[in-house]
Protein backbone atom coordinates (compact mmCIF):
# COMPACT_ATOMS: atom_id res chain seq x y z
CA UNK A 1 0.00 0.00 0.00
CA UNK A 2 1.21 3.48 -0.91
CA UNK A 3 0.37 6.72 0.91
CA UNK A 4 0.91 10.29 -0.31
CA UNK A 5 0.67 13.49 1.72
CA UNK A 6 0.06 17.11 0.84
CA UNK A 7 0.53 19.85 3.42
CA UNK A 8 -0.83 23.38 3.25
CA UNK A 9 -0.09 26.22 5.63
CA UNK A 10 2.14 26.58 8.63
CA UNK A 11 5.19 24.87 10.08
CA UNK A 12 3.00 23.11 12.64
CA UNK A 13 1.17 21.37 9.81
CA UNK A 14 4.52 20.40 8.26
CA UNK A 15 5.62 18.87 11.55
CA UNK A 16 2.34 17.01 12.00
CA UNK A 17 2.55 15.59 8.49
CA UNK A 18 6.01 14.19 9.30
CA UNK A 19 4.53 12.53 12.39
CA UNK A 20 1.76 11.02 10.26
CA UNK A 21 4.26 9.70 7.73
CA UNK A 22 6.12 7.89 10.49
CA UNK A 23 2.88 6.27 11.66
CA UNK A 24 2.03 5.07 8.16
CA UNK A 25 5.58 3.83 7.57
CA UNK A 26 5.43 1.83 10.81
CA UNK A 27 2.23 0.20 9.54
CA UNK A 28 3.99 -0.93 6.36
CA UNK A 29 2.92 1.82 3.95
CA UNK A 30 5.32 3.08 1.30
CA UNK A 31 5.39 6.89 1.35
CA UNK A 32 5.32 8.35 -2.19
CA UNK A 33 5.29 11.91 -3.53
CA UNK A 34 2.01 13.80 -3.54
CA UNK A 35 1.78 13.63 -7.37
CA UNK A 36 2.32 9.87 -7.52
CA UNK A 37 -0.24 7.09 -7.78
CA UNK A 38 -1.19 6.08 -4.23
CA UNK A 39 -3.77 4.05 -2.35
CA UNK A 40 -4.23 6.73 0.30
CA UNK A 41 -3.99 10.50 -0.05
CA UNK A 42 -3.82 12.63 3.10
CA UNK A 43 -4.43 16.38 2.77
CA UNK A 44 -3.39 18.41 5.83
CA UNK A 45 -5.32 21.64 5.31
CA UNK A 46 -5.04 25.31 6.28
CA UNK A 47 -7.82 27.86 6.82
CA UNK A 48 -6.01 31.13 7.58
CA UNK A 49 -7.54 32.84 4.51
CA UNK A 50 -10.27 32.19 1.96
CA UNK A 51 -7.47 31.38 -0.48
CA UNK A 52 -6.24 28.66 1.90
CA UNK A 53 -9.68 27.03 1.83
CA UNK A 54 -9.75 27.20 -1.96
CA UNK A 55 -6.30 25.62 -2.27
CA UNK A 56 -7.35 22.84 0.11
CA UNK A 57 -10.38 22.02 -2.07
CA UNK A 58 -8.26 22.08 -5.22
CA UNK A 59 -5.79 19.54 -3.84
CA UNK A 60 -8.56 17.27 -2.59
CA UNK A 61 -9.99 17.06 -6.12
CA UNK A 62 -6.56 16.79 -7.74
CA UNK A 63 -5.48 13.77 -5.70
CA UNK A 64 -8.70 11.88 -6.42
CA UNK A 65 -8.08 12.35 -10.16
CA UNK A 66 -4.70 10.61 -9.91
CA UNK A 67 -6.37 7.47 -8.50
CA UNK A 68 -10.20 7.57 -8.43
CA UNK A 69 -10.33 4.51 -6.16
CA UNK A 70 -7.90 5.92 -3.58
CA UNK A 71 -8.91 6.73 -0.01
CA UNK A 72 -8.87 10.52 0.49
CA UNK A 73 -8.43 11.68 4.09
CA UNK A 74 -8.74 15.38 4.92
CA UNK A 75 -7.48 16.77 8.21
CA UNK A 76 -6.16 20.06 9.55
CA UNK A 77 -7.68 23.46 10.26
CA UNK A 78 -10.08 23.66 7.29
CA UNK A 79 -11.46 20.23 8.22
CA UNK A 80 -11.87 21.41 11.83
CA UNK A 81 -13.56 24.75 11.11
CA UNK A 82 -15.73 23.70 8.12
CA UNK A 83 -16.19 19.93 8.55
CA UNK A 84 -19.62 19.76 6.92
CA UNK A 85 -18.34 21.62 3.87
CA UNK A 86 -15.41 19.20 3.57
CA UNK A 87 -17.56 16.11 4.18
CA UNK A 88 -19.99 17.22 1.45
CA UNK A 89 -17.28 16.97 -1.21
CA UNK A 90 -17.87 13.77 -3.15
CA UNK A 91 -14.14 12.98 -3.23
CA UNK A 92 -13.68 12.94 0.57
CA UNK A 93 -13.73 9.63 2.45
CA UNK A 94 -12.40 10.72 5.85
CA UNK A 95 -12.73 14.02 7.73
CA UNK A 96 -10.56 14.32 10.84
CA UNK A 97 -10.30 17.42 13.03
CA UNK A 98 -7.09 18.88 14.41
CA UNK A 99 -7.26 16.78 17.59
CA UNK A 100 -7.94 13.61 15.59
CA UNK A 101 -4.90 13.63 13.29
CA UNK A 102 -3.10 11.08 15.41
CA UNK A 103 -5.87 8.56 14.67
CA UNK A 104 -5.86 8.97 10.88
CA UNK A 105 -4.22 5.61 10.26
CA UNK A 106 -6.96 3.93 12.31
CA UNK A 107 -9.66 5.81 10.37
CA UNK A 108 -8.12 4.78 7.03
CA UNK A 109 -8.24 1.14 8.08
CA UNK A 110 -11.83 1.50 9.30
CA UNK A 111 -12.90 3.06 6.01
CA UNK A 112 -11.14 0.35 4.01
CA UNK A 113 -13.12 -2.26 5.92
CA UNK A 114 -16.56 -0.60 5.96
CA UNK A 115 -16.43 1.71 2.89
CA UNK A 116 -18.39 4.30 4.85
CA UNK A 117 -17.27 7.92 5.25
CA UNK A 118 -15.40 8.47 8.50
CA UNK A 119 -16.26 11.75 10.27
CA UNK A 120 -14.29 12.61 13.40
CA UNK A 121 -14.39 16.26 14.46
CA UNK A 122 -14.65 17.39 18.08
CA UNK A 123 -16.23 20.79 18.83
CA UNK A 124 -14.03 23.69 19.90
CA UNK A 125 -15.05 23.25 23.56
CA UNK A 126 -13.47 19.78 23.61
CA UNK A 127 -10.10 20.86 22.18
CA UNK A 128 -8.53 21.01 25.63
CA UNK A 129 -5.99 18.18 25.74
CA UNK A 130 -2.53 18.03 24.17
CA UNK A 131 -2.54 14.90 22.03
CA UNK A 132 0.98 13.62 21.43
CA UNK A 133 1.81 12.18 18.02
CA UNK A 134 4.76 10.37 19.58
CA UNK A 135 8.43 11.06 19.02
CA UNK A 136 9.32 12.18 15.49
CA UNK A 137 12.67 10.71 14.44
CA UNK A 138 13.16 12.03 10.89
CA UNK A 139 12.32 14.91 8.56
CA UNK A 140 12.47 15.45 4.79
CA UNK A 141 15.24 17.95 5.36
CA UNK A 142 18.44 16.44 6.70
CA UNK A 143 19.72 19.64 8.30
CA UNK A 144 16.84 21.51 9.96
CA UNK A 145 14.19 19.78 12.09
CA UNK A 146 10.90 21.18 13.40
CA UNK A 147 9.72 20.32 16.89
CA UNK A 148 6.15 21.12 17.84
CA UNK A 149 6.05 22.40 21.41
CA UNK A 150 2.45 23.52 21.94
CA UNK A 151 -1.04 23.59 20.53
CA UNK A 152 -3.78 26.21 20.52
CA UNK A 153 -4.12 29.93 21.17
CA UNK A 154 -6.28 31.96 23.54
CA UNK A 155 -5.53 35.46 22.25
CA UNK A 156 -8.50 35.71 19.84
CA UNK A 157 -7.25 38.42 17.51
CA UNK A 158 -10.39 39.77 15.86
CA UNK A 159 -9.44 38.65 12.33
CA UNK A 160 -8.17 35.16 13.18
CA UNK A 161 -10.07 31.88 12.97
CA UNK A 162 -7.16 29.72 14.19
CA UNK A 163 -8.12 29.60 17.91
CA UNK A 164 -11.38 27.96 16.81
CA UNK A 165 -9.45 25.51 14.63
CA UNK A 166 -6.81 24.62 17.23
CA UNK A 167 -8.54 25.12 20.57
CA UNK A 168 -7.18 26.23 23.91
CA UNK A 169 -3.48 26.51 24.77
CA UNK A 170 -1.95 23.10 25.55
CA UNK A 171 1.77 22.63 26.07
CA UNK A 172 3.73 19.52 25.23
CA UNK A 173 5.74 18.04 28.08
CA UNK A 174 9.28 19.38 28.32
CA UNK A 175 10.67 15.90 28.79
CA UNK A 176 9.10 14.68 25.54
CA UNK A 177 10.42 17.71 23.66
CA UNK A 178 13.93 17.09 25.00
CA UNK A 179 13.71 13.40 24.10
CA UNK A 180 12.71 14.29 20.55
CA UNK A 181 15.45 16.91 20.28
CA UNK A 182 18.13 14.47 21.47
CA UNK A 183 16.95 11.90 18.94
CA UNK A 184 16.95 14.36 16.04
CA UNK A 185 20.39 15.68 16.99
CA UNK A 186 21.72 12.11 17.15
CA UNK A 187 20.37 11.62 13.61
CA UNK A 188 22.60 14.48 12.47
CA UNK A 189 20.27 17.47 12.39
CA UNK A 190 22.10 20.73 13.14
CA UNK A 191 19.19 23.12 13.61
CA UNK A 192 16.14 22.67 15.84
CA UNK A 193 13.17 24.91 15.02
CA UNK A 194 10.61 25.28 17.79
CA UNK A 195 7.13 25.69 16.42
CA UNK A 196 3.57 25.87 17.66
CA UNK A 197 0.33 27.75 17.12
CA UNK A 198 1.55 30.44 19.52
CA UNK A 199 4.97 29.41 20.79
CA UNK A 200 5.20 32.39 23.16
CA UNK A 201 2.41 30.78 25.20
CA UNK A 202 4.40 27.59 25.76
CA UNK A 203 4.41 26.57 29.42
CA UNK A 204 1.67 28.97 30.46
CA UNK A 205 -0.76 26.13 31.16
CA UNK A 206 1.74 23.83 32.93
CA UNK A 207 3.26 26.31 35.36
CA UNK A 208 6.49 27.16 33.51
CA UNK A 209 5.63 30.82 33.01
CA UNK A 210 6.83 30.97 29.42
CA UNK A 211 9.18 29.46 26.88
CA UNK A 212 12.51 30.49 28.47
CA UNK A 213 12.89 27.44 30.78
CA UNK A 214 12.52 25.17 27.74
CA UNK A 215 15.10 27.12 25.75
CA UNK A 216 17.48 26.96 28.72
CA UNK A 217 17.26 23.16 28.79
CA UNK A 218 17.63 22.81 25.02
CA UNK A 219 20.58 25.20 25.08
CA UNK A 220 22.25 22.89 27.59
CA UNK A 221 22.12 19.84 25.32
CA UNK A 222 25.46 18.60 23.98
CA UNK A 223 26.48 19.12 20.39
CA UNK A 224 27.21 21.77 17.79
CA UNK A 225 23.73 22.86 16.78
CA UNK A 226 21.52 25.91 16.86
CA UNK A 227 17.97 26.64 18.03
CA UNK A 228 15.55 28.77 16.06
CA UNK A 229 12.19 30.10 17.18
CA UNK A 230 9.57 29.99 14.44
CA UNK A 231 7.73 32.94 16.02
CA UNK A 232 7.02 34.89 19.18
CA UNK A 233 3.93 37.04 19.65
CA UNK A 234 4.24 40.65 20.87
CA UNK A 235 0.74 40.08 22.30
CA UNK A 236 2.50 37.85 24.87
CA UNK A 237 6.09 39.05 25.23
CA UNK A 238 7.66 42.46 25.81
CA UNK A 239 11.13 44.04 25.69
CA UNK A 240 12.10 42.76 29.16
CA UNK A 241 11.05 39.24 28.29
CA UNK A 242 13.18 39.29 25.13
CA UNK A 243 16.26 40.40 27.08
CA UNK A 244 16.08 37.14 29.01
CA UNK A 245 16.20 35.10 25.79
CA UNK A 246 19.31 36.78 24.42
CA UNK A 247 21.62 35.06 26.94
CA UNK A 248 21.36 31.65 25.20
CA UNK A 249 24.25 31.26 22.77
CA UNK A 250 22.61 28.50 20.69
CA UNK A 251 19.48 30.56 20.04
CA UNK A 252 19.64 32.13 16.56
CA UNK A 253 19.58 35.94 16.32
CA UNK A 254 16.38 35.73 14.31
CA UNK A 255 12.79 36.08 15.39
CA UNK A 256 9.46 36.12 13.60
CA UNK A 257 7.71 38.94 15.45
CA UNK A 258 4.31 39.49 13.87
CA UNK A 259 3.29 43.17 13.97
CA UNK A 260 0.16 42.92 11.71
CA UNK A 261 -0.23 46.74 11.58
CA UNK A 262 1.81 49.83 12.35
CA UNK A 263 -1.26 51.74 13.50
CA UNK A 264 -2.36 51.83 17.14
CA UNK A 265 -5.92 52.39 15.95
CA UNK A 266 -5.90 49.21 13.84
CA UNK A 267 -4.00 47.20 16.46
CA UNK A 268 -6.80 47.99 18.91
CA UNK A 269 -9.43 46.89 16.38
CA UNK A 270 -7.43 43.70 15.83
CA UNK A 271 -7.45 42.97 19.59
CA UNK A 272 -3.63 42.99 19.58
CA UNK A 273 -2.55 43.93 23.10
CA UNK A 274 0.43 46.17 22.37
CA UNK A 275 1.13 49.54 20.78
CA UNK A 276 3.47 50.34 17.91
CA UNK A 277 5.81 51.94 20.48
CA UNK A 278 5.89 48.78 22.60
CA UNK A 279 6.63 46.75 19.48
CA UNK A 280 9.49 49.09 18.56
CA UNK A 281 10.89 48.72 22.10
CA UNK A 282 11.25 44.97 21.51
CA UNK A 283 12.95 45.68 18.17
CA UNK A 284 15.33 48.11 19.87
CA UNK A 285 16.43 45.44 22.36
CA UNK A 286 17.09 42.97 19.55
CA UNK A 287 19.00 45.43 17.39
CA UNK A 288 21.13 46.61 20.33
CA UNK A 289 22.08 42.98 20.92
CA UNK A 290 22.96 42.54 17.22
CA UNK A 291 22.49 45.36 14.64
CA UNK A 292 21.90 42.66 12.03
CA UNK A 293 19.40 40.72 14.13
CA UNK A 294 16.96 39.19 11.64
CA UNK A 295 13.34 40.15 12.27
CA UNK A 296 10.61 38.78 10.03
CA UNK A 297 7.00 39.87 10.33
CA UNK A 298 3.44 39.80 8.97
CA UNK A 299 1.44 42.89 8.01
CA UNK A 300 -2.21 42.95 6.92
CA UNK A 301 -3.41 45.52 4.39
CA UNK A 302 -7.01 46.64 4.16
CA UNK A 303 -8.24 45.71 7.64
CA UNK A 304 -11.78 47.03 8.35
CA UNK A 305 -11.79 50.77 9.15
CA UNK A 306 -8.10 51.12 8.19
CA UNK A 307 -7.65 54.72 7.02
CA UNK A 308 -4.99 56.02 4.67
CA UNK A 309 -3.19 57.37 7.76
CA UNK A 310 -3.34 53.94 9.40
CA UNK A 311 -1.96 52.30 6.28
CA UNK A 312 0.81 54.91 6.11
CA UNK A 313 1.78 53.92 9.68
CA UNK A 314 2.18 50.31 8.52
CA UNK A 315 4.49 51.42 5.73
CA UNK A 316 6.40 53.64 8.16
CA UNK A 317 7.03 50.86 10.69
CA UNK A 318 8.82 48.88 7.97
CA UNK A 319 11.35 51.70 7.66
CA UNK A 320 11.65 52.08 11.43
CA UNK A 321 12.26 48.40 12.09
CA UNK A 322 14.67 47.21 9.40
CA UNK A 323 12.90 43.88 8.82
CA UNK A 324 14.79 41.19 6.94
CA UNK A 325 11.52 39.89 5.50
CA UNK A 326 7.90 41.08 5.48
CA UNK A 327 4.99 38.77 4.66
CA UNK A 328 2.31 41.06 3.22
CA UNK A 329 -1.30 39.88 3.44
CA UNK A 330 -4.55 41.28 2.13
CA UNK A 331 -7.27 41.17 4.82
CA UNK A 332 -9.45 38.08 4.40
CA UNK A 333 -12.93 38.15 5.93
CA UNK A 334 -13.29 34.96 7.98
CA UNK A 335 -16.76 33.85 9.05
CA UNK A 336 -17.11 33.62 12.84
CA UNK A 337 -14.49 36.26 13.66
CA UNK A 338 -15.23 39.67 15.18
CA UNK A 339 -13.59 41.53 12.29
CA UNK A 340 -15.95 39.92 9.76
CA UNK A 341 -18.87 41.72 11.46
CA UNK A 342 -17.19 45.11 11.72
CA UNK A 343 -18.41 48.12 9.80
CA UNK A 344 -16.07 49.92 7.46
CA UNK A 345 -15.01 46.91 5.37
CA UNK A 346 -12.49 48.06 2.76
CA UNK A 347 -13.62 47.49 -0.86
CA UNK A 348 -11.76 44.77 -2.76
CA UNK A 349 -10.02 47.04 -5.30
CA UNK A 350 -8.66 49.26 -2.52
CA UNK A 351 -7.46 46.23 -0.55
CA UNK A 352 -5.68 45.05 -3.70
CA UNK A 353 -4.04 48.46 -4.17
CA UNK A 354 -2.82 48.65 -0.58
CA UNK A 355 -1.60 45.08 -0.70
CA UNK A 356 0.46 45.80 -3.82
CA UNK A 357 1.98 48.93 -2.25
CA UNK A 358 2.80 46.91 0.86
CA UNK A 359 4.46 44.15 -1.20
CA UNK A 360 6.64 46.69 -3.00
CA UNK A 361 7.61 48.26 0.33
CA UNK A 362 8.42 44.79 1.70
CA UNK A 363 10.71 44.11 -1.26
CA UNK A 364 12.51 47.39 -0.60
CA UNK A 365 12.99 46.37 3.04
CA UNK A 366 14.63 43.08 2.06
CA UNK A 367 17.06 44.85 -0.28
CA UNK A 368 17.89 47.41 2.43
CA UNK A 369 18.63 44.62 4.92
CA UNK A 370 20.90 42.88 2.41
CA UNK A 371 22.81 46.13 1.92
CA UNK A 372 23.38 46.38 5.68
CA UNK A 373 24.67 42.80 5.68
CA UNK A 374 27.28 43.39 2.98
CA UNK A 375 30.74 42.65 4.35
CA UNK A 376 29.41 40.98 7.50
CA UNK A 377 30.57 37.49 8.48
CA UNK A 378 27.74 35.20 9.59
CA UNK A 379 27.51 31.51 10.44
CA UNK A 380 25.77 29.48 7.72
CA UNK A 381 24.36 25.96 7.77
CA UNK A 382 24.44 24.62 4.21
CA UNK A 383 21.46 22.55 3.08
CA UNK A 384 21.48 22.08 -0.70
CA UNK A 385 24.00 21.76 -3.54
CA UNK A 386 23.41 22.44 -7.23
CA UNK A 387 25.46 23.62 -10.22
CA UNK A 388 28.66 24.08 -8.24
CA UNK A 389 27.02 26.13 -5.50
CA UNK A 390 25.75 25.37 -2.00
CA UNK A 391 22.94 27.22 -0.27
CA UNK A 392 21.91 27.61 3.31
CA UNK A 393 20.77 30.15 5.88
CA UNK A 394 22.74 32.45 8.11
CA UNK A 395 21.98 32.53 11.81
CA UNK A 396 20.00 35.74 11.18
CA UNK A 397 17.98 34.12 8.38
CA UNK A 398 19.53 35.28 5.12
CA UNK A 399 19.65 32.72 2.32
CA UNK A 400 23.25 32.49 1.09
CA UNK A 401 24.84 31.10 -2.08
CA UNK A 402 28.51 30.04 -2.02
CA UNK A 403 30.68 28.10 -4.45
CA UNK A 404 31.04 24.59 -3.05
CA UNK A 405 30.03 20.95 -3.18
CA UNK A 406 27.92 18.34 -1.38
CA UNK A 407 30.66 17.66 1.17
CA UNK A 408 29.79 21.04 2.72
CA UNK A 409 26.16 20.09 3.41
CA UNK A 410 24.97 19.90 7.01
CA UNK A 411 28.07 21.73 8.24
CA UNK A 412 28.51 25.22 9.66
CA UNK A 413 30.81 27.70 7.95
CA UNK A 414 31.65 31.34 8.58
CA UNK A 415 30.69 33.21 5.41
CA UNK A 416 31.36 36.78 4.35
CA UNK A 417 28.27 38.24 2.70
CA UNK A 418 29.09 40.03 -0.54
CA UNK A 419 26.00 41.17 -2.45
CA UNK A 420 22.35 40.50 -3.24
CA UNK A 421 21.99 37.39 -5.40
CA UNK A 422 18.86 35.58 -6.65
CA UNK A 423 16.53 35.24 -3.63
CA UNK A 424 19.27 35.93 -1.08
CA UNK A 425 22.94 36.93 -1.02
CA UNK A 426 26.15 35.66 -2.53
CA UNK A 427 28.92 34.90 -0.07
CA UNK A 428 32.45 33.53 0.23
CA UNK A 429 33.98 31.34 2.89
CA UNK A 430 35.75 33.47 5.45
Amino acid sequence: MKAAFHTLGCKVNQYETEALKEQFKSAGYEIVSEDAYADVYVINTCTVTNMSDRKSRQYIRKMKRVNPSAVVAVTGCYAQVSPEEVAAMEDVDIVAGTNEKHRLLQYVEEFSAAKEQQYHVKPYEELTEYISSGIVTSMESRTRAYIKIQEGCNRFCSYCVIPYARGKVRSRSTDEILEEARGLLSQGFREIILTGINTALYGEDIGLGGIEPLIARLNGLDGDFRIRLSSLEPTVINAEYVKGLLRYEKLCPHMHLSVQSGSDHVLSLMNRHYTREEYLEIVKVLKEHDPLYGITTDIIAGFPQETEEDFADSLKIIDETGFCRVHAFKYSQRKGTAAAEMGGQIPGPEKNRRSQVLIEKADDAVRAFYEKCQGAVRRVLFEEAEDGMVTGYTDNYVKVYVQGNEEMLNHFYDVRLIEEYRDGMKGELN
Side-chain angles (χ1 to χ4, degrees), residues 315-343:
L315 299 177
K316 184 180 177 185
I317 205 167
I318 295 176
D319 290 328
E320 292 173 306
T321 304
F323 295 116
C324 69
R325 187 172 298 176
V326 178
H327 301 281
F329 293 92
K330 181 172 59 177
Y331 169 69
S332 182
Q333 201 168 355
R334 307 303 287 142
K335 182 180 177 181
T337 63
E341 306 302 321
M342 287 181 181

Side-chain angles (χ1 to χ4, degrees), residues 113-127:
K115 300 299 181 185
E116 293 181 357
Q117 188 181 63
Q118 299 289 310
Y119 184 92
H120 305 276
V121 182
K122 290 182 178 179
Y124 164 78
E125 292 77 17
E126 294 182 25
L127 303 181

Side-chain angles (χ1 to χ4, degrees), residues 84-103:
E84 294 87 1
E85 187 175 302
V86 174
M89 296 180 66
E90 61 178 351
D91 297 324
V92 175
D93 301 310
I94 299 165
V95 183
T98 52
N99 244 38
E100 298 296 310
K101 285 184 185 180
H102 65 295
R103 294 195 179 100

Side-chain angles (χ1 to χ4, degrees), residues 350-370:
E350 177 60 15
K351 282 199 291 188
N352 290 337
R353 184 193 72 81
R354 293 184 190 181
S355 176
Q356 188 56 43
V357 171
L358 186 61
I359 289 169
E360 291 170 4
K361 187 71 170 178
D363 290 342
D364 290 343
V366 173
R367 284 191 288 270
F369 188 77
Y370 288 164

Side-chain angles (χ1 to χ4, degrees), residues 87-339:
M89 296 180 66
E90 61 178 351
D91 297 324
V92 175
D93 301 310
I94 299 165
V95 183
T98 52
N99 244 38
E100 298 296 310
K101 285 184 185 180
H102 65 295
R103 294 195 179 100
L104 255 183
L105 178 61
Q106 171 191 331
Y107 299 148
V108 167
E109 292 172 348
E110 289 175 359
F111 175 83
S112 299
K115 300 299 181 185
E116 293 181 357
Q117 188 181 63
Q118 299 289 310
Y119 184 92
H120 305 276
V121 182
K122 290 182 178 179
Y124 164 78
E125 292 77 17
E126 294 182 25
L127 303 181
T128 57
E129 179 185 359
Y130 186 89
I131 305 294
S132 175
S133 301
I135 301 295
V136 171
T137 60
S138 65
M139 297 267 162
E140 279 191 21
S141 161
R142 294 305 306 165
T143 56
R144 307 162 77 211
Y146 294 106
I147 295 183
K148 179 182 173 182
I149 65 170
Q150 64 85 228
E151 177 67 274
C153 181
N154 60 9
R155 308 310 282 184
F156 289 98
C157 298
S158 63
Y159 53 86
C160 186
V161 74
I162 296 304
Y164 303 100
R166 290 287 183 165
K168 299 176 176 62
V169 173
R170 292 96 80 201
S171 298
R172 189 179 183 187
S173 82
T174 301
D175 288 342
E176 187 173 277
I177 294 169
L178 290 168
E179 181 183 349
E180 186 163 285
R182 290 189 189 98
L184 290 166
L185 293 172
S186 72
Q187 291 291 319
F189 289 95
R190 308 299 295 276
E191 180 172 309
I192 298 297
I193 305 166
L194 303 182
T195 190
I197 300 305
N198 191 331
T199 52
L201 294 172
Y202 177 80
E204 194 177 80
D205 57 317
I206 55 176
L208 292 181
I211 197 173
E212 187 177 349
L214 172 63
I215 292 174
R217 293 189 66 181
L218 287 168
N219 190 76
L221 294 180
D222 294 334
D224 184 17
F225 69 97
R226 63 191 187 189
I227 305 163
R228 195 181 295 275
L229 290 171
S230 62
S231 64
L232 282 184
E233 276 288 325
T235 55
V236 182
I237 66 166
N238 56 27
E240 271 312 303
Y241 188 97
V242 166
K243 285 179 184 177
L245 298 179
L246 296 177
R247 73 186 76 174
Y248 301 107
E249 69 276 4
K250 289 180 179 175
L251 186 62
C252 289
H254 160 240
M255 187 179 295
H256 186 78
L257 194 65
S258 188
V259 66
Q260 301 297 1
S261 175
S263 159
D264 285 340
H265 169 233
V266 174
L267 288 172
S268 177
L269 292 171
M270 288 178 166
N271 198 33
R272 304 281 287 181
H273 298 281
Y274 56 89
T275 65
R276 77 188 319 274
E277 193 57 39
E278 287 168 338
Y279 183 91
L280 290 171
E281 286 174 6
I282 299 173
V283 171
K284 182 181 177 183
V285 169
L286 298 176
K287 293 293 186 178
E288 285 178 348
H289 174 73
D290 181 347
L292 296 178
Y293 198 103
I295 304 172
T296 53
T297 201
D298 307 307
I299 299 180
I300 295 173
F303 191 79
Q305 301 179 36
E306 180 187 64
T307 66
E308 282 293 343
E309 184 179 359
D310 293 328
F311 181 60
D313 281 342
S314 286
L315 299 177
K316 184 180 177 185
I317 205 167
I318 295 176
D319 290 328
E320 292 173 306
T321 304
F323 295 116
C324 69
R325 187 172 298 176
V326 178
H327 301 281
F329 293 92
K330 181 172 59 177
Y331 169 69
S332 182
Q333 201 168 355
R334 307 303 287 142
K335 182 180 177 181
T337 63

